[in-house]
Amino acid sequence: MKIAIDAMGGDNAPDAIVAGTVLAARENPAVTLVLVGDENAIKRCLGQDAPRNIEVVHTTEVIEAEDEPVRAVRRKKDASMVVAARMVKEGQADGVVSAGNTGALMAAGLLVVGRIRDIDRPALASVWPTMGGKAMLVLDVGANMDAEANHLYQYALMANVYAKVVLGMPEPRIGLLNVGSEPGKGDKLRKEAYGLLENGPFRFAGNIEAREALNDRCDVLVADGFTGNNMLKLIEGFGLGLFDQLKRIFLANTLSKLAAAVLKPGLTAFKKRFDYTEYGGAPLLGIDGAVIKAHGSSNDRAFQMAITQAIRFLDGNVLEQIRTDLTKTTETV
Amino acid sequence: MKIAIDAMGGDNAPDAIVAGTVLAARENPAVTLVLVGDENAIKRCLGQDAPRNIEVVHTTEVIEAEDEPVRAVRRKKDASMVVAARMVKEGQADGVVSAGNTGALMAAGLLVVGRIRDIDRPALASVWPTMGGKAMLVLDVGANMDAEANHLYQYALMANVYAKVVLGMPEPRIGLLNVGSEPGKGDKLRKEAYGLLENGPFRFAGNIEAREALNDRCDVLVADGFTGNNMLKLIEGFGLGLFDQLKRIFLANTLSKLAAAVLKPGLTAFKKRFDYTEYGGAPLLGIDGAVIKAHGSSNDRAFQMAITQAIRFLDGNVLEQIRTDLTKTTETV
C-alpha cells in the first residue's frame, strides 16, 4: 500500500505534515508514504533518521488557500496536491492525504483521480461530535452544490461503508436531514430521496431535524452540499461566538476570573470535545481512490490521524464494498 | 385599525394570549383587538374591567400543535385561527396574530387570506439575535420549501420594507446566505438570485457565509425555506445542547457550584439574549394582510410585542410599500 501525502498543504506545512507522516510511517511499517512537495523543505523537516518507508517526490508549485480551486488544479500542473492526485490516477499510489485548499482537493479528486464508476457526484464527509460525545458522519458538506435525489442516495450508500469500515460503526443508522421527522416532509429533493433511501442496502433511520441532529439520532446524516456546508459553518461560527461571549463573562472582574479558574478544567475538556480538528480528516467519497482532507490547521497528531483513516480505508476495501453495494441495489433504485 | 387575535393558539392559550392582548389594547386605545376563540374561556380571562377596544368573536374549534397544517385549515372551518384569517380576507380585520401551529398559520395565510398580487411565494421571517446583541431578520425559515431565484429576490424586497418600517433599521443591508463570500459562489439557485439581488431597490450586501452570519454582517439574511428552517433549528438545538453541557460542568461538585453562582448573573443575561422568544413575532411576508406568528411559548409580554409588530406593520403601510417596490423593479428583474 502506498499513500501520496501533499506535504505543502495546510497552515502548518510542511513541518506538521512531515512530522505527522513520520509518526504514521513508524506506526505502519508495511505502508509506504510518499511526501510530495519541495524536496529541500521536506528533507530539512525529515532530518537524518527518517523511517525507510517514507519516499519523497519533488514538486515546484503549491496551491494556496486563496487560489480558485478548479483553475489552480488545471494550471498548477506541478503543484504538490495535483501531483499526489496524479499518482493515484496513474496507479503509483492508492490514496492521497492533504491538509490544503479543500475546494482544490475536491477538484483534484474529481478532475485528476476521477469518480468511481456509477457514482454521479463525489461528496465530502465530515465527522461531527454529538452532544453525547459520539461521532456522526455528515455528508455532503460542500463537494456538490446541486444535489439530486439519486446523489443523496449514493452518499448514504458510500457513507454506510465508510462508517462501518473506517469509523468502526457496526450498523450505522442513516438519517436524512429534513425539516420534519415524519415521512413526506421537506422539499421535492427530500421527498424523492426518502423513497430511495427506504430501499437502500443500509439501515435507514428516516428524517432527522436539525434540532435533533446533534443528539445521537443517527450515525450518518445525509444532506445536500449547500445545506451541509452551511450547517457546518454555522456550528463553527456559533460555537466560536458562544465561547467568545463566555470568555467575556469570565473575564468581567476578579471574582468571575476566580470562578472561571475553578471551572476551567471542565470547560477545556468540553471545548476540546467540540474541536473539530480532533476528529480526523474528511473523506471525499465517490473518488476512485482514498482521498482524505485533513483539517487545514492540522498539527502532527491530527495529520497522522488522517493518514490512519486512509490506511483503514484501503485496508478495509471501501471502494470494493461501495462497488458491490452499488450493483446490489441497481435493480431496486 | 382592527387586528384579529387567535386566542386559542400557543402553549399558554388562552390566558397569556388574552393578558397580552389586554396590555396591547391599553397601550393602543385607537386600535381594536378582536379576540377570536371560545367566548367563555376568553371572558373568564378578561374578567370585569376589559379595555373597551377589545371585542370577542366566538368559535368552536381549535387547531392543535400536532394537527397536519393544510388539512386542519381546510377542515376546521370554525377554528379560531381560520376564523381570524377569514376576517382579514373579508375586510373585517387588517391583520392576524397567532401563537398557534406555525404550519397552520402559513396555510391559513396562503389559503384563506391570500397572497399579495405579484408575490409568488410568502416567506416566514424570523428575528435572530446576533453575537453583537443586534437583531437580524432571516427569511425564509420554512414557508416555501422549493424556492426559485425570483422568490429569494421577492423575500429580499419584502424584508427590506419590513426591517425599515417595523424594526426601525434605516437602510437594511441585505445578505444572501451562501457557501462563499465571493460573487459566483453557490448552487444554481444562489448564482441566479445574486444577479437579481444586485439590481434590487435595496442595499445588497452580497453573499454571507453561515460562519459569519451571526456577526452583524447584514441586517436581513435571505435563504431558501429548507436551508433557513434547518439553520434555525440547528441554532436552537445546538444552543440548548451547549447550555445543557455547561450546566453539567457547573453542577459537577460543590466548588463548581459556588463558581457557577458567581457567574450566574452574567450567564443569565447572556442566555436571555439568545432567548428567541424575547425577539417578538415572525411576520409571514407576502400575504395580503399583517400576519404575525408569535412564539408558541409566548407569555403575555411576548404576545403583546407580537401585536405591537402587527400595529407597526399596518401603521407603516408595509403592504403598500411592498407593492410600490414591486412595480419599481418589474423592469429591471
Side-chain angles (χ1 to χ4, degrees):
Chain A
M1 187 193 300
K2 203 179 248 196
I3 298 170
I5 309 292
D6 171 13
M8 311 309 283
D11 306 342
N12 309 314
D15 305 66
I17 307 303
V18 173
T21 304
V22 168
L23 292 173
R26 294 223 166 96
E27 200 184 31
N28 306 278
V31 177
T32 303
L33 300 176
V34 186
L35 283 162
V36 183
D38 181 81
E39 194 169 14
N40 284 334
I42 292 170
K43 291 212 162 145
R44 180 181 47 71
C45 296
L46 275 176
Q48 295 303 322
D49 55 341
R52 298 186 57 182
N53 54 332
I54 286 186
E55 298 175 1
V56 177
V57 166
H58 180 64
T59 58
T60 56
E61 290 181 290
V62 175
I63 293 181
E64 309 289 349
E66 55 280 3
D67 278 348
E68 198 286 309
V70 174
R71 198 185 313 147
V73 168
R74 288 213 170 112
R75 294 199 185 163
K76 294 187 172 176
K77 305 256 183 234
D78 201 41
S80 53
M81 186 194 282
V82 175
V83 172
R86 205 182 303 131
M87 288 176 66
V88 178
K89 175 68 183 175
E90 294 173 354
Q92 296 158 33
D94 306 296
V96 51
V97 181
S98 173
N101 184 318
T102 308
L105 186 62
M106 296 192 294
L110 191 59
L111 303 175
V112 180
V113 184
R115 282 176 285 125
I116 298 172
R117 210 190 135 169
D118 292 329
I119 290 291
D120 296 308
R121 294 279 188 286
L124 187 66
S126 156
V127 176
W128 295 11
T130 65
M131 290 294 165
K134 292 189 183 169
M136 173 172 70
L137 191 66
V138 182
L139 81 171
D140 172 29
V141 296
N144 171 25
M145 280 299 118
D146 291 286
E148 296 169 11
N150 193 47
H151 304 163
L152 298 190
Y153 171 80
Q154 292 177 353
Y155 300 170
L157 186 147
M158 296 190 290
N160 178 57
V161 173
Y162 185 86
K164 274 196 276 194
V165 172
V166 179
L167 304 179
M169 298 169 170
E171 205 195 339
R173 295 161 302 166
I174 315 280
L176 175 65
L177 179 72
N178 208 336
V179 296
S181 54
E182 308 86 351
K185 285 281 176 178
D187 55 359
K188 275 181 211 140
L189 175 60
R190 255 44 68 157
K191 286 175 188 168
E192 199 185 331
Y194 192 100
L196 299 178
L197 291 167
E198 276 186 311
N199 296 308
F202 40 71
R203 184 175 166 199
F204 182 47
N207 291 325
I208 306 286
E209 284 194 87
R211 193 187 282 125
E212 293 290 335
L214 300 173
N215 295 342
D216 300 305
R217 298 298 168 102
C218 61
D219 304 300
V220 170
L221 185 64
V222 176
D224 66 284
F226 183 84
T227 311
N229 189 276
N230 276 297
M231 301 269 287
L232 178 63
K233 287 175 178 165
L234 183 66
I235 288 189
E236 283 176 9
F238 192 57
L240 284 174
L242 284 184
F243 278 111
D244 194 56
Q245 301 279 337
L246 284 178
K247 207 184 253 176
R248 283 183 205 198
I249 294 169
F250 294 164
L251 297 178
N253 55 54
T254 312
L255 200 56
S256 70
K257 280 181 200 166
L258 274 171
V262 170
L263 297 170
K264 204 177 175 196
L267 290 171
T268 305
F270 169 57
K271 195 177 172 185
K272 200 172 165 179
R273 243 177 59 200
F274 282 89
D275 182 353
Y276 284 48
T277 60
E278 293 287 314
Y279 286 80
L284 185 60
L285 296 173
I287 299 300
D288 202 7
V291 181
I292 306 288
K293 168 69 178 74
H295 205 281
S297 61
S298 290
N299 59 15
D300 53 353
R301 286 277 297 111
F303 199 80
Q304 177 195 8
M305 176 75 152
I307 297 176
T308 305
Q309 283 172 274
I311 294 171
R312 284 193 204 148
F313 186 108
L314 295 164
D315 259 344
N317 292 313
V318 166
L319 295 177
E320 214 37 66
Q321 289 204 43
I322 289 175
R323 284 191 195 100
T324 307
D325 280 4
L326 269 174
T327 54
K328 235 192 258 175
T329 55
T330 319
E331 304 113 49
T332 52
V333 178
Chain B
M1 188 193 299
K2 202 179 246 192
I3 297 170
I5 309 292
D6 170 12
M8 312 309 283
D11 305 342
N12 308 314
D15 304 67
I17 306 304
V18 173
T21 303
V22 168
L23 292 172
R26 294 220 167 98
E27 200 184 31
N28 304 278
V31 177
T32 303
L33 300 176
V34 186
L35 283 162
V36 183
D38 181 82
E39 194 168 15
N40 284 333
I42 293 170
K43 291 210 162 148
R44 181 179 46 72
C45 297
L46 274 176
Q48 295 302 322
D49 56 342
R52 296 187 58 183
N53 54 332
I54 287 187
E55 297 175 2
V56 178
V57 165
H58 180 63
T59 58
T60 56
E61 290 180 290
V62 174
I63 293 180
E64 309 290 350
E66 55 280 3
D67 277 349
E68 199 287 308
V70 174
R71 197 186 313 150
V73 168
R74 289 214 169 112
R75 293 199 185 164
K76 294 185 170 176
K77 305 256 183 236
D78 201 43
S80 52
M81 185 193 282
V82 176
V83 172
R86 205 181 302 132
M87 288 176 67
V88 179
K89 176 66 182 177
E90 294 174 353
Q92 295 158 33
D94 306 294
V96 51
V97 181
S98 174
N101 183 318
T102 307
L105 186 62
M106 297 192 293
L110 192 59
L111 303 175
V112 179
V113 183
R115 282 177 285 126
I116 297 172
R117 211 190 133 168
D118 292 329
I119 290 290
D120 296 309
R121 293 281 187 285
L124 187 65
S126 156
V127 177
W128 295 10
T130 66
M131 289 294 165
K134 291 187 184 171
M136 174 173 70
L137 191 66
V138 182
L139 80 172
D140 170 29
V141 296
N144 170 25
M145 281 299 117
D146 291 285
E148 297 169 12
N150 193 47
H151 304 162
L152 298 190
Y153 172 80
Q154 293 178 353
Y155 299 170
L157 186 146
M158 295 190 291
N160 178 57
V161 173
Y162 185 86
K164 275 197 274 194
V165 172
V166 179
L167 305 179
M169 297 170 172
E171 207 194 338
R173 296 160 301 166
I174 314 282
L176 175 64
L177 179 72
N178 207 337
V179 295
S181 54
E182 308 87 351
K185 286 280 177 179
D187 54 358
K188 276 183 211 140
L189 175 61
R190 256 45 68 158
K191 286 175 188 168
E192 199 184 331
Y194 192 101
L196 298 178
L197 291 167
E198 275 187 313
N199 297 308
F202 40 71
R203 185 176 165 197
F204 182 46
N207 290 326
I208 306 286
E209 284 194 87
R211 194 187 282 125
E212 294 289 335
L214 300 173
N215 296 342
D216 299 306
R217 298 296 168 102
C218 60
D219 305 300
V220 170
L221 186 64
V222 176
D224 67 283
F226 184 83
T227 310
N229 189 275
N230 276 297
M231 302 269 287
L232 179 62
K233 286 176 180 165
L234 183 66
I235 288 190
E236 284 176 6
F238 192 57
L240 283 175
L242 284 184
F243 278 111
D244 193 56
Q245 302 280 337
L246 284 177
K247 208 184 251 176
R248 284 183 206 199
I249 294 170
F250 294 164
L251 296 178
N253 54 53
T254 312
L255 200 55
S256 70
K257 280 181 199 165
L258 274 171
V262 169
L263 297 168
K264 206 178 173 196
L267 290 170
T268 305
F270 170 57
K271 195 177 170 184
K272 200 173 167 180
R273 242 176 60 200
F274 283 90
D275 181 353
Y276 283 48
T277 60
E278 293 287 313
Y279 286 80
L284 184 61
L285 296 172
I287 298 299
D288 202 7
V291 181
I292 306 289
K293 168 67 177 77
H295 204 283
S297 61
S298 292
N299 59 15
D300 54 352
R301 286 277 297 108
F303 199 79
Q304 178 195 9
M305 176 76 152
I307 296 176
T308 304
Q309 282 172 275
I311 294 170
R312 283 191 204 148
F313 185 110
L314 294 165
D315 258 345
N317 291 314
V318 167
L319 295 177
E320 213 39 66
Q321 290 204 44
I322 288 174
R323 283 192 195 99
T324 308
D325 280 4
L326 269 175
T327 54
K328 236 192 258 175
T329 55
T330 320
E331 303 113 50
T332 53
V333 178

